[in-house]
Amino acid sequence: MRVWSSIAIAALMLVMAPATADELQPETLHVEKVPDGPRDHWIWIGDLGAQHNVDTRAMLFDADKGKMLGMLSTGFWSAGVLLPKSTGNVVALETFFEKGTRGPRHDYVTVYDPRTLLPLHEIEVPPRRMTALVQTRMAGLTDDDRFVAITNFTPRQTMTIVDLQKNRFVAETDTPGCGQIYPAGPRRILLLCGDASLKSMVLDDNGKVVKQTDGKPFFDPFADPVIVHAVRAGDDWLFVSLAGYIYQVDASGDEVKLREKWSLLTDGERADGWRTGGYQPLAVQKKDGLLYALMRKGPESTYEEPGDAVWVFDIATHKRVAEFDLANATLAIEVSQDANPIVYGASMKTVVPYWSLVALTLLGQKFEQLDVVKPALDVYDAKSGKLLRTVDHVASFATSLKQP
Amino acid sequence: MRVWSSIAIAALMLVMAPATADELQPETLHVEKVPDGPRDHWIWIGDLGAQHNVDTRAMLFDADKGKMLGMLSTGFWSAGVLLPKSTGNVVALETFFEKGTRGPRHDYVTVYDPRTLLPLHEIEVPPRRMTALVQTRMAGLTDDDRFVAITNFTPRQTMTIVDLQKNRFVAETDTPGCGQIYPAGPRRILLLCGDASLKSMVLDDNGKVVKQTDGKPFFDPFADPVIVHAVRAGDDWLFVSLAGYIYQVDASGDEVKLREKWSLLTDGERADGWRTGGYQPLAVQKKDGLLYALMRKGPESTYEEPGDAVWVFDIATHKRVAEFDLANATLAIEVSQDANPIVYGASMKTVVPYWSLVALTLLGQKFEQLDVVKPALDVYDAKSGKLLRTVDHVASFATSLKQP
Amino acid sequence: MSAIDKWMETFSRLLARQSSRRSFLATAGAFIIGVGAAPLLPVARAHAGTGEEGDPTRCDYWRYCAIDGFLCTCCGGTTSSCPPGTVASSVTWVGTCRNPTDGKDYIISYNDCCGRSGCGRCTCQRDEGDRPLYRTDSANDINWCAGSSADIVYNCSTAVLMGVSTGD
Amino acid sequence: MSAIDKWMETFSRLLARQSSRRSFLATAGAFIIGVGAAPLLPVARAHAGTGEEGDPTRCDYWRYCAIDGFLCTCCGGTTSSCPPGTVASSVTWVGTCRNPTDGKDYIISYNDCCGRSGCGRCTCQRDEGDRPLYRTDSANDINWCAGSSADIVYNCSTAVLMGVSTGD
């Protein structure tokens, strides 16, 4: 250790004087815990990592302070986090390959402590989880927070059940033709099927499927398909179609039925090409029964491109009660549930002002759209639509938002 | 497989008519091999992945065509590739964690087939490889291409030897105070030590260190340290110091000695703050004995910030024989060895024109420097300095270049 | 209309608002029309004898009408081959695209190449006819590497010509 | 002078060349002076009673004079604490920075926080007194997570105040 140790000792013995009263006091390095206090305006951002989807993350932000609180590294192409309210834990679906991008694959349901963000349990599950650009509804918690159901696709379609009380894998079940998962009761989940129906599955205390009920098709999957992201209002799930209709299904009975189909758009707006945009365009503010919809104008093939407006609907009357413009092109929205609700937007903020990009285009300068945007978190007052703040550099590619 | 299979069959049986003479013919999907032909203007770019250093890569480009030929995924914080000429193989230093960013660590020396880019051998080595922002000289090949020597740092300093003929780990040796590796003979390597000397190590046929010779300090590590990137000219290694001096050492004898110290700068240039910049600022064009140096002007603390000019020196006379300005802020350079040499630059190209950024700044608009640049590969004529082409989107964070 | 043009449209609308709100630009309307009319992707060159025109390394190439991913043509592959070191997916989604040269509709299979990290070059999202995940035959959001021997690590996407469509 | 200001200087020089080569801007000199003078990082606020001024989430904060990495203050930590879920490195490099409030030089220990992927926020490279790798005591290029129980996965960097320097 000849040379290194001499340098190391020099470093350790660096000439430091004892601190006097008017000098800054030496500090001790430690590791933070996630702070206590109200979480009304906290948000988990799911980061798909763009070309680095070997390295996806979930990032926790305090939207009031515009401050990052911590992050999880969730491995290859994660599906965001699940947030069981009863324990407060953070549950992530993680995939790893033994040699980064090659070698055997291992999938885990990892349960993190909400204060230390350290893994409490790493539950290995069959390495068959579905991965898609849409992160939403790839897994779901039963309403009692006991079981996690996960969509598998190899392309055989199956479902994995994990027990969050015993922290173990329960079973993998064939679910031919059915995939995305929508909770609908303490021990009940719905699966969205290719024939446009919702299949109901009830689990027993051991996580075994004890009752299955097929649903009837509630929309036309060819003429006007719904997107897989949907939101819950009471016992109902609200799906939105590419043509801007809400398919509101009643999930209270054994057989899931369409309650009603209503429109976000006037005929004129529909003719103009208005529809929802991005990957997570719907959010429900429960107390007032309001549906927040991320909107854009463009041909049907742009239904996953960023939206630039939020329209607010009264779910009971189907009336549009408010609307506001967004500051940045937005891929996902969420709304808080407190008395002073805020709307979160996962956006693609331009790195220089919009007008300068337009001016450059007019001057004949070329640049690539994706080169001039960076993911940001925009925070709006949910009532006035006023932009409260924008938090920069929140991810590489933020496609989902989840509120604790 | 009810619904899924019906949809799948629909997909497979998609109504396709037999092709007629004037229609495009159906194609068969296959996997490419790296093309044959001259590799004079091919370059491997080492990508540290910026914040995604779980997912580093080595990207191969044809600089004449401005075309990407393929890539390796090299795991966590790789140190670029080594290129044994005798086999043509591509050797990467790879690190993986069993759970992405946590769990046991495994380090490999992976040998890739140069045509298929598939792993031929994955040689596990002690998981102690040094990782640093500088990728250069973290490992080296003996001149006969038989052994790889790797710098370890935990922070104990050791060296790992791997046999590329038997494709196995040989040994780990203590190398206190010494780290970076410089080949200097068929079975001989030099290690740069903290006391500013180069230690010589000779390996036998089994990779065992059979002879060690300490060197004398050849520079002042406190007054004017050299950077660890160095280049070879015949039996000499050329190191550059932060003050712009070349320390040219003679590695032909057992004991490595300073041959001469010469200056890249006039006194006036030195007073103006000129020095080398970036992570890989030196390259040698062997046939004409020319040293290409990536230069910048700024205080000493900017010695790793991007350069914006290349100065060319005659190594024999120490005279500056040419200079040219660079199109973009550049972090690494390399030069080809053919009759029509080109200079490669790993640069940070602005996503909109420079002048528009300056104009925006004057208008009081704020933006972050790192938000408005993307890594590019610039290709210059080595004789005229003319920019031949710029290849966009070559990496997330390109810090090293290696020519096959 | 390419994805980039379409996205520019969104930008233009955002601009229009900022402009009117802040009165920054007096001629916002002109700007928007100008952008819409600006030929952002003007390249159109015929490949002699191939019955195809356009540049397969650009997102506006005709075969990419329903693609979403990195173009293999920019990553060491071609429209019908995967880059060295990757594995081609065996199952995938298909789209129907019109070849501007002969005016015919062709079936295009967008097989993913797998086993290396995302190439990151030539990102292209066009989504014509793209359908949600439960329409597996037409869903480009699915990571189709799921069906490959390399499993789900996605590198880039091809656009393999399968044949002429007789209509649907 | 912050790293951003310094880099802007490089850009300005590149601009100057482009300008003169292409005669695009008649007033290139003025632009360059303008940029040099533009207060890119103007924030300077005093923390009452702490004997420190400046914003610890900005790269120009006095303690970061020799740092190179992501600032933990932007990642869920502080200048002397690591974000939740990470592990603090046990060995590290040190720098000497002058506190503008009291004009004294302090020893700063730039411990890395480890075990999560790179935070990616508030990238900051200042490098005052940074030395090459063989000067391990002063080398900020080294991934100092090497000394931590989480091993080498780097998340962010702190700037822990160790004491007053008596000079060197």
Side-chain angles (χ1 to χ4, degrees), chain A residues 226 303-304 306 308 325 369, chain C residues 7 11 13 17 130 134 141:
Chain A
V226 301
Y303 78 100
E304 282 186 337
D308 53 9
D325 293 336
Q369 216 73 58
Chain C
W7 210 3
F11 281 135
R13 293 186 55 235
R17 284 202 211 113
D130 169 50
Y134 52 85
D141 277 2

Side-chain angles (χ1 to χ4, degrees), chain A residues 157 177 180 193-195 219-226 228, chain B residues 4 7, chain C residues 93 129-140 142 144:
Chain A
Q157 290 182 287
Q180 289 60 51
C193 303
D195 68 354
F219 63 97
D220 183 330
F222 297 92
D224 189 29
V226 301
V228 300
Chain B
W4 183 78
I7 289 176
Chain C
W93 85 101
D130 169 50
R131 286 291 175 264
L133 305 181
Y134 52 85
R135 288 280 312 276
T136 45
D137 59 314
S138 310
N140 73 15
I142 296 176
W144 282 99

Side-chain angles (χ1 to χ4, degrees), chain B residues 217-373:
Chain B
F218 65 92
F219 64 95
D220 183 331
F222 297 93
D224 189 29
V226 300
I227 66 169
V228 300
H229 173 67
V231 288
R232 206 168 169 186
D235 284 334
D236 290 0
W237 277 95
L238 277 65
F239 291 82
V240 65
S241 71
L242 269 53
Y245 290 100
I246 294 289
Y247 290 82
Q248 185 165 346
V249 299
D250 171 10
S252 63
D254 280 351
E255 188 188 320
V256 178
K257 287 176 182 163
L258 183 68
R259 184 188 294 283
E260 56 188 328
K261 172 186 173 182
W262 52 279
S263 179
L264 296 178
L265 310 172
T266 64
D267 290 346
E269 286 158 356
R270 185 167 292 110
D272 283 349
W274 282 96
R275 69 190 77 247
T276 59
Y279 298 112
Q280 191 178 323
L282 300 181
V284 168
Q285 199 270 318
K286 292 176 195 165
K287 194 167 65 70
D288 300 317
L290 298 176
L291 177 70
Y292 285 73
L294 172 62
M295 305 297 296
R296 63 169 285 117
K297 198 172 148 184
E300 189 187 87
S301 65
T302 66
Y303 78 100
E304 281 185 338
E305 295 193 25
D308 54 10
V310 163
W311 293 3
V312 189
F313 297 86
D314 184 313
I315 296 173
T317 66
H318 309 166
K319 283 214 166 66
R320 188 160 92 205
V321 295
E323 63 181 300
F324 58 92
D325 293 335
L326 298 177
N328 298 301
T330 298
L331 288 170
I333 60 167
E334 183 53 285
V335 61
S336 74
Q337 302 298 333
D338 58 315
N340 296 300
I342 55 173
V343 171
Y344 311 86
S347 72
M348 305 288 263
K349 185 186 163 190
T350 57
V351 294
V352 290
Y354 291 120
W355 59 261
S356 66
L357 296 174
V358 175
L360 284 170
T361 304
L362 289 176
L363 290 169
Q365 297 288 333
K366 284 175 194 161
F367 54 86
E368 298 227 8
Q369 215 74 59
L370 284 176
D371 284 355
V372 296
V373 292

Side-chain angles (χ1 to χ4, degrees), chain B residues 29-61:
Chain B
L29 181 64
H30 60 286
V31 177
E32 292 291 325
K33 287 191 168 62
V34 174
D36 288 322
R39 302 185 169 207
D40 292 342
H41 289 179
W42 288 14
I43 193 79
W44 282 97
I45 300 176
D47 183 3
L48 265 184
Q51 75 262 46
H52 292 289
N53 51 20
V54 171
D55 180 33
T56 59
R57 302 107 183 273
M59 324 271 280
L60 178 61
F61 281 84

Side-chain angles (χ1 to χ4, degrees), chain B residues 50-51 53-54 76-77 95 97 101 105 127 130-134 138 153-155 180 192-194 219 221-222 225-228 242 274 279 296-297 299-306 308 325-329 348 350 354-355 357-359 361-362 367-370 373, chain D residues 1 3-15 17-19 21 24-25 30-32 34-35 38-40 42 68 70 91 115-120 123 125-137 140-144 146-147 150-154:
Chain B
Q51 75 262 46
N53 51 20
V54 171
F76 184 83
W77 205 315
T95 292
F97 291 83
T101 54
R105 166 182 170 184
M130 187 181 205
T131 52
L133 210 46
V134 173
M138 292 309 216
F153 182 80
T154 60
Q180 288 61 50
L192 182 59
C193 303
F219 64 95
F222 297 93
V226 300
I227 66 169
V228 300
L242 269 53
W274 282 96
Y279 298 112
R296 63 169 285 117
K297 198 172 148 184
E300 189 187 87
S301 65
T302 66
Y303 78 100
E304 281 185 338
E305 295 193 25
D308 54 10
D325 293 335
L326 298 177
N328 298 301
M348 305 288 263
T350 57
Y354 291 120
W355 59 261
L357 296 174
V358 175
T361 304
L362 289 176
F367 54 86
E368 298 227 8
Q369 215 74 59
L370 284 176
V373 292
Chain D
M1 193 179 190
I4 287 171
D5 287 328
K6 283 184 292 185
W7 210 3
M8 198 58 177
E9 222 181 41
T10 304
F11 281 135
S12 304
R13 294 186 54 236
L14 285 159
L15 166 73
R17 283 202 213 113
Q18 290 208 330
S19 305
R21 276 205 292 261
F24 191 91
L25 297 173
F31 270 97
I32 296 155
V35 171
L40 284 175
D68 188 358
F70 307 120
V91 290
R116 291 278 147 93
S117 306
C119 158
T123 307
Q125 182 185 7
R126 292 212 5 217
D127 289 350
E128 287 168 35
D130 169 50
R131 286 293 175 260
L133 304 180
Y134 52 86
R135 289 279 312 276
T136 45
D137 59 313
N140 73 15
D141 278 1
I142 296 177
N143 176 0
W144 283 98
D151 213 317
I152 57 170
V153 178
Y154 169 80

Side-chain angles (χ1 to χ4, degrees), chain A residues 48-56 76-77 100-101, chain B residues 47 49 52 54-59 68 70-74 393-396, chain C residues 69-72 74-76 83 86 112-123 143 145 152-157:
Chain A
L48 265 185
Q51 76 261 46
H52 293 288
N53 50 21
V54 171
D55 181 33
T56 59
F76 184 84
W77 204 316
T101 54
Chain B
D47 183 3
H52 292 289
V54 171
D55 180 33
T56 59
R57 302 107 183 273
M59 324 271 280
M68 179 168 162
M71 63 174 272
L72 309 176
S73 286
T74 51
H393 303 135
V394 295
S396 288
Chain C
F70 307 119
L71 302 179
C72 287
C74 300
C75 305
T86 66
D112 286 343
C113 303
C114 314
R116 292 279 145 93
S117 308
C119 158
R121 308 191 79 219
C122 299
T123 308
N143 176 359
C145 285
I152 57 170
V153 178
Y154 170 79
N155 181 249
C156 64
S157 297

Side-chain angles (χ1 to χ4, degrees), chain A residues 219-220 223-227 238-248 260-277 281-282 291 293-296 298-300 303 311 313 318 320:
Chain A
F219 63 97
D220 183 330
D224 189 29
V226 301
I227 65 169
L238 277 65
F239 290 82
V240 66
S241 72
L242 269 53
Y245 291 100
I246 293 289
Y247 290 83
Q248 185 165 347
E260 56 188 328
K261 172 185 173 182
W262 52 279
S263 179
L264 296 178
L265 310 171
T266 64
D267 291 345
E269 287 158 354
R270 185 167 293 110
D272 284 347
W274 281 97
R275 67 190 77 247
T276 59
L282 300 182
L291 176 70
L294 172 62
M295 304 298 294
R296 62 168 286 119
E300 188 188 87
Y303 78 100
W311 292 2
F313 298 85
H318 308 166
R320 187 160 92 205

